[in-house]
Amino acid sequence: MSDILQPGDAHGDVLRLDRVTKSFPGVRALRDASFTVASGEVHALLGENGAGKSTLMKIACGALAPDAGTVHIGGVALGRHTPQAARALGLRVLHQERQIAAHLSVAENVLLDRVPTGPLGLVGRRRTERAARALLDELGIGLDPGRSAADLNAAEAQLVALARALSAGATVLVLDEPTASLQGDEVRVLFDIVRTLAGRGVGIVFISHHLDEVYAIADRVTVMRDGAVAGTVPAAGTRPDQLTAMIFGQSVDVSRAAVRAGLPVVVRGEPLVEVENIHLGRTVNGVSLTMHAGEVVALTGPLGSGASEVAQLVAGARGPSAGRITHATGAARTRPPRTRRDHARCGVAFLPADRKHAGVLLEHSVTENVALGDRATSRRVLLRRREDRRRAAEQVHRLGIRVADVRQRVQTLSGGNQQKVVLGRWLAVRSRVLVLDEPTAGVDVAAKVEIYRLLLAAAADGAAVLIVSSDFEEIHALADRVLVVCDGRVVAELPGHEADPHRVMQIEMEGRSA
Amino acid sequence: MTVSEEQVTAGALAEPPAGPRRSILTRRGGPNDLLRSALPLVVVIIALSLFTNSHNASFLTGDNIDNILVQSAVLGILVVGQTFLIIGGEVDLSVGSMVSFTSVLGAWMYTHGWSPVVVAVTLLVVGTGVGLLWGLLVAHVGVPSFILTVGGLGFFSSLALILSQNRPISVASVLGNLGFATWLGLPALAVIFLAVCVVGAVVLHSTRFGRQVFAVGSSEQTAFLAGLPTKRIKVTLFVVNGLLVGLAGIVQLARLSAGDPTSGAGLELSCIAAVVLGGAALTGGRGSMIGGLLGTLLFGVISASLVFLNIGGSWKDFVTGAVLIFAVTMAAASYKRGRRSTDTARTRRRLLSPATGNSTTRTPRR
């Protein structure tokens, strides 16, 4: 890391964040972070989930006010920290999910907030389409402005959103994982447009998880780690392993050896879940796997690979369109488990990726959130409040959940503690099959390691753990077996200790291009 | 009450992530939330009663209190059902028209010689059946309850008019004079009303089912993935509400000694207003039975006060409306202040999605 540049070396900076600090209840999200983008530069922003990338960009675009530090856009200080103010100074954000009004035309979407009006203040279709045409041509986007936006595919929708972001003359453009839903050719088209824009002096922030894309497009790279800037380096002349070292750092050791230190070596036990050739529409196309007691199985794959859906099927959150899932824990049942409720009663826990909306009840207490498993599985009629509180306190103690009182609302907890609450819900009802989708998304590194150790301890206690993850370090640290999923099929299986990040990434890429 | 709101705000803004918050007024969640939303209502009800009583000393007499309870009985019974629905994230706007319809149906059956027991049972069955239909359509077909029950509102108010040929059907003595009977020293209708409230409160706050309703109303996704039978819970909510609507129809018939096809008009809105006054969130997941009961009593005390203060009946809806606007504005303002710190994150998340890869994969309901 000898070639780290001091950020902010020129006056041509179109975006400059100076020593920005931001705290949330229980988390120090950003410490003293400085970040600059020069005019005409493509500046990649890298970092793990929870490293502070999104907080930094929310501050840049005015969605969050920093506790300390300043934001300059186009050389002007951002006075009021509102998205409107940042927009007025020329900052545009292209979000990762589809942001298109499906009932309008392409032209109306491009000019959404500035549809040209005629002499009477009326909107004319032909005038709108002409204006949109001009803008699209300028960007080299060959879309028919008269088309209905509902027919656009993901890539086309992305381009329309991009054109809209630029319709009012941007000086800084933030691209938040713009390639997440794009195919190879579409990525190339996007990159061409990005280069054109940079050539015209627009400063571009490129947020990505893919090192290959960073090398393809970026001039400079800033890496965030644990809420601070780990360094800013030129893309050319920095090796991938140097970047990975900056991304993961040495502060908290999430290596396989460190995470497993002091935990008993687990012998694989009896099979708990048998998945036979399951299908789900066209997303999952015949997956088979067996999960044993004491084992951690990881599923990984690119976005849309079907890995998430396999987890949902195993947990009973969805029903397979074909195939069979047998739970050893449900063997005593008279009929096979069908609904999510049946699966919960068979001891199958599910911790979804969208923790805030599908995992916890934000407005309810820790007690209530932990008790939810019991509410689903028991057959008691009356509540036993004291028993509920005792169980919640037990899980708080056992999992090291940092709360003042079990009556505290889950909303006030950090991501890691929220996840532990959901885990506690299932451990309280002695679930033996734990299914987790992105178990540590939005969890800080220290809490991550705690969650890893809790999962490994649960496995040592005889649980079978299935995780879906796009975090290669996580997979390497946790998994006994890794299944790489592409297009709804398992394309490779390898033992956990061999599943180092580079290897898995390579297999995924081969699977994606195949 | 202003003082308590201020302290709550201060407590939430300071946001100590760890460290106990022992004060009754500053801790959020748990029974103290209940106290916070119920206390202002109790104060207003007592203050208004004392004020009216100072102008007309016969206001706070046993007879008049009995009277207020009887006048509130129909609304109160509907409020119990609606509280369950709203906490569960649904709403039923057809309840007023169903009261009109069932009371007219009861009167019609009565005049055609059916026995009181058969009449009562029929009204309960009709109410429950309609509730079941709403529940199935909402839970299994996915019809939004708001618009579905607006349809029901039109359907049943019209049916009530058709069946009664636009005139109230008078009945000489209904259901063994239920409207004038006294049980345990209280008017029978008041006893029914209070009993329904007590049972409702116990089911909502002290049973597993009650907590499931809160969970479904807070986040149906979370509840489903935790293994709760979310559809069955929703159907049950509508069925219970339907049963209570049938009961309210019986009480209305007994109270008026007539089946009046317009007597239920507007009840659905008073009913929702009472539930929200009592601290429930229209978005679900929050509310209490005692709150709904107090909201009902406030409406009852307001209309009785207007009579005792010799203010014309035309002012009734004006005063009720004003109280409602004031109360919900206060509640929304204090709720917003109290949660600003935690809520900013949520509101802002909508403005810029976090860069967390595919972590927001949604799990559709089965």
Side-chain angles (χ1 to χ4, degrees):
Chain A
M1 273 185 267
S2 56
D3 41 7
I4 292 176
L5 298 180
Q6 282 305 309
D9 48 341
H11 283 295
D13 292 336
V14 286
L15 176 66
R16 168 188 290 274
L17 288 101
D18 255 329
R19 311 201 60 169
V20 172
T21 297
K22 178 78 188 173
S23 298
F24 294 116
V27 204
R28 190 92 174 274
L30 219 49
R31 293 191 304 277
D32 253 355
S34 297
F35 180 70
T36 60
V37 181
S39 170
E41 179 192 34
V42 180
H43 196 147
L45 189 55
L46 289 177
E48 285 187 288
N49 294 332
K53 298 187 304 267
S54 56
T55 311
L56 188 72
M57 281 305 109
K58 281 180 189 176
I59 288 172
C61 79
L64 282 179
D67 298 338
T70 55
V71 179
H72 286 78
I73 299 170
V76 183
L78 189 60
R80 297 183 52 237
H81 292 279
T82 64
Q84 292 77 13
R87 220 184 131 75
L89 293 177
L91 184 135
R92 302 282 179 277
V93 184
L94 187 63
H95 297 275
Q96 86 182 254
E97 68 265 359
R98 200 178 171 97
Q99 298 202 320
I100 290 289
H103 301 291
L104 303 182
S105 70
V106 165
E108 285 166 316
N109 267 292
V110 169
L111 300 169
L112 202 56
D113 47 358
R114 49 189 71 248
V115 177
T117 51
L120 292 172
L122 299 178
V123 172
R125 167 193 274 258
R126 224 171 306 151
R127 185 178 292 110
T128 310
E129 288 183 5
R130 216 177 315 122
R133 177 74 274 158
L135 197 78
L136 291 171
D137 283 347
E138 203 186 323
L139 291 170
I141 301 172
L143 281 176
D144 174 9
R147 254 174 86 182
S148 158
D151 312 331
L152 299 177
N153 66 30
E156 292 166 336
Q158 184 98 341
L159 294 178
V160 169
L162 186 66
R164 181 201 303 153
L166 296 167
S167 70
T171 54
V172 189
L173 178 66
V174 177
L175 301 170
D176 181 4
E177 296 205 42
T179 59
S181 50
L182 303 188
Q183 309 292 323
D185 294 351
E186 299 162 352
V187 171
R188 240 163 283 141
V189 173
L190 178 77
F191 280 11
D192 284 344
I193 294 172
V194 169
R195 281 193 203 98
T196 313
L197 289 169
R200 276 198 236 144
V202 178
I204 290 156
V205 181
F206 184 85
I207 302 173
S208 179
H209 279 310
H210 300 287
L211 290 187
D212 50 335
E213 291 174 5
V214 169
Y215 281 113
I217 190 93
D219 302 312
R220 278 196 297 168
V221 183
T222 289
V223 176
M224 306 269 320
R225 188 175 67 225
D226 300 344
V229 171
T232 299
V233 295
T238 309
R239 290 194 314 275
D241 58 304
Q242 290 174 307
L243 284 181
T244 346
M246 284 168 71
I247 293 170
F248 298 118
Q250 314 301 327
S251 53
V252 177
D253 193 352
V254 287
S255 69
R256 190 173 170 88
V259 166
R260 290 168 180 255
L263 289 170
V265 177
V266 186
V267 190
R268 182 156 127 172
E270 77 278 13
L272 288 184
V273 183
E274 198 82 54
V275 175
E276 292 161 75
N277 196 25
I278 47 165
H279 292 254
L280 179 71
R282 285 157 66 186
T283 341
V284 178
N285 304 305
V287 169
S288 302
L289 74 107
T290 310
M291 290 165 61
H292 300 84
E295 185 183 38
V296 181
V297 179
L299 295 175
T300 187
L303 190 70
S305 63
S308 252
E309 284 77 5
V310 171
Q312 290 164 14
L313 290 169
V314 171
R318 289 172 151 199
S321 45
R324 221 156 62 108
I325 301 170
T326 327
H327 292 278
T329 43
R333 295 176 57 96
T334 48
R335 64 183 174 91
R338 226 163 29 82
T339 60
R340 171 67 198 122
R341 176 178 173 75
D342 295 340
H343 283 78
R345 285 194 158 150
C346 288
V348 182
F350 184 49
L351 290 79
D354 186 3
R355 181 167 52 240
K356 279 188 164 42
H357 301 104
V360 292
L361 302 173
L362 283 172
E363 306 225 333
H364 290 249
S365 63
V366 171
T367 304
E368 202 55 47
N369 272 279
V370 169
L372 209 54
D374 179 65
R375 307 269 189 262
T377 53
S378 88
R379 294 182 195 276
R380 257 180 298 108
V381 171
L382 290 180
L383 289 185
R384 291 186 299 182
R385 287 180 216 274
R386 198 171 311 156
E387 172 70 10
D388 284 344
R389 269 204 296 278
R390 193 191 60 72
R391 282 184 177 209
E394 189 183 310
Q395 295 305 326
V396 163
H397 177 74
R398 179 172 165 196
L399 305 182
I401 303 172
R402 277 176 274 287
V403 291
D405 188 313
V406 288
R407 282 172 290 193
Q408 201 170 324
R409 290 198 307 173
V410 161
Q411 193 164 38
T412 62
L413 307 187
S414 68
N417 281 314
Q418 289 182 357
Q419 186 71 318
K420 288 185 195 171
V421 167
V422 188
L423 187 60
R425 170 189 306 161
W426 299 112
L427 296 180
V429 293
R430 298 180 205 298
S431 296
R432 279 193 74 197
V433 177
L434 309 178
V435 181
L436 304 94
D437 195 352
E438 298 291 349
T440 59
V443 170
D444 63 75
V445 193
K448 240 181 209 186
V449 174
E450 289 178 33
I451 289 173
Y452 293 163
R453 290 180 64 83
L454 290 170
L455 292 176
L456 290 169
D461 261 2
V465 181
L466 178 69
I467 63 165
V468 175
S469 180
S470 54
D471 180 340
F472 298 137
E473 288 251 314
E474 173 166 296
I475 294 166
H476 189 50
L478 275 180
D480 295 309
R481 274 193 298 149
V482 181
L483 308 185
V484 183
V485 182
C486 280
D487 296 324
R489 283 191 190 80
V490 175
V491 294
E493 172 169 349
L494 53 164
H497 60 88
E498 285 177 21
D500 59 89
H502 293 297
R503 181 89 191 274
V504 177
M505 205 186 297
Q506 205 177 356
I507 295 173
E508 251 186 38
M509 276 182 195
E510 283 162 13
R512 189 149 51 152
S513 52
Chain B
M1 80 197 194
T2 325
V3 174
S4 73
E5 309 288 11
E6 294 295 344
Q7 290 183 357
V8 168
T9 311
L13 284 176
E15 206 63 73
R21 284 184 275 171
R22 289 270 180 256
S23 160
I24 284 180
L25 295 173
T26 52
R27 194 172 54 226
R28 305 188 63 87
N32 301 311
D33 257 3
L34 188 70
L35 185 71
R36 234 165 32 86
S37 60
L39 199 61
L41 278 175
V42 173
V43 170
V44 173
I45 290 172
I46 292 177
L48 182 57
S49 304
L50 291 176
F51 174 77
T52 310
N53 199 53
S54 69
H55 285 73
N56 186 337
S58 50
F59 189 78
L60 285 177
T61 56
D63 276 356
N64 189 45
I65 291 172
D66 284 358
N67 187 39
I68 291 175
L69 288 176
V70 170
Q71 298 296 331
S72 306
V74 171
L75 180 61
I77 292 169
L78 295 180
V79 161
V80 171
Q82 200 76 254
T83 299
F84 272 99
L85 277 174
I86 287 179
I87 291 175
E90 300 294 340
V91 72
D92 186 348
L93 286 164
S94 71
V95 294
S97 67
M98 277 294 291
V99 166
S100 301
F101 172 70
T102 48
S103 65
V104 165
L105 177 67
W108 182 87
M109 286 176 74
Y110 214 81
T111 50
H112 284 69
W114 296 84
S115 82
V117 176
V118 175
V119 171
V121 170
T122 308
L123 298 199
L124 294 176
V125 168
V126 168
T128 310
V130 171
L132 178 66
L133 177 67
W134 292 168
L136 292 175
L137 288 174
V138 168
H140 291 274
V141 184
V143 187
S145 56
F146 184 93
I147 200 68
L148 174 71
T149 55
V150 166
L153 167 77
F155 184 85
F156 286 108
S157 39
S158 198
L159 213 55
L161 290 171
I162 294 165
L163 184 63
S164 64
Q165 293 166 334
N166 275 345
R167 284 186 306 269
I169 304 175
S170 305
V171 188
S173 102
V174 204
L175 305 169
N177 261 333
L178 183 65
F180 306 97
T182 48
W183 297 345
L184 311 165
L186 279 173
L189 299 184
V191 173
I192 294 177
F193 163 37
L194 294 175
V196 167
C197 285
V198 169
V199 173
V202 169
V203 173
L204 183 63
H205 295 296
S206 300
T207 65
R208 202 162 59 89
F209 174 74
R211 299 313 303 175
Q212 290 182 333
V213 174
F214 276 94
V216 168
S218 303
S219 167
E220 199 174 339
Q221 280 273 324
T222 301
F224 171 75
L225 292 177
L228 301 190
T230 48
K231 289 182 180 174
R232 197 198 303 164
I233 292 167
K234 294 223 155 165
V235 174
T236 311
L237 286 176
F238 278 99
V239 167
V240 168
N241 184 60
L243 178 71
L244 291 174
V245 170
L247 182 63
I250 296 173
V251 170
Q252 184 78 315
L253 180 61
R255 191 169 70 86
L256 301 176
S257 297
D260 181 343
T262 59
S263 65
L267 271 178
E268 61 284 335
L269 295 183
S270 317
C271 171
I272 292 167
V275 175
V276 174
L277 260 183
L282 277 177
T283 44
R286 190 157 52 89
S288 71
M289 200 50 84
I290 185 81
L293 173 64
L294 290 171
T296 310
L297 288 182
L298 177 60
F299 285 166
V301 169
I302 289 174
S303 36
S305 290
L306 293 176
V307 175
F308 275 70
L309 295 173
N310 263 325
I311 300 172
S314 337
W315 285 90
K316 184 187 146 201
D317 288 345
F318 176 89
V319 176
T320 320
V323 167
L324 186 63
I325 292 168
F326 177 74
V328 294
T329 308
M330 289 302 294
S334 83
Y335 192 67
K336 199 174 163 190
R337 264 188 296 140
R339 304 182 8 136
R340 187 165 293 153
S341 51
T342 41
D343 236 25
T344 14
R346 192 198 273 193
T347 332
R348 302 237 153 117
R349 196 177 44 231
R350 265 183 258 131
L351 300 174
L352 182 74
S353 64
T356 48
N358 57 354
S359 65
T360 46
T361 315
R362 286 176 61 82
T363 315
R365 291 163 57 197
R366 185 165 162 188

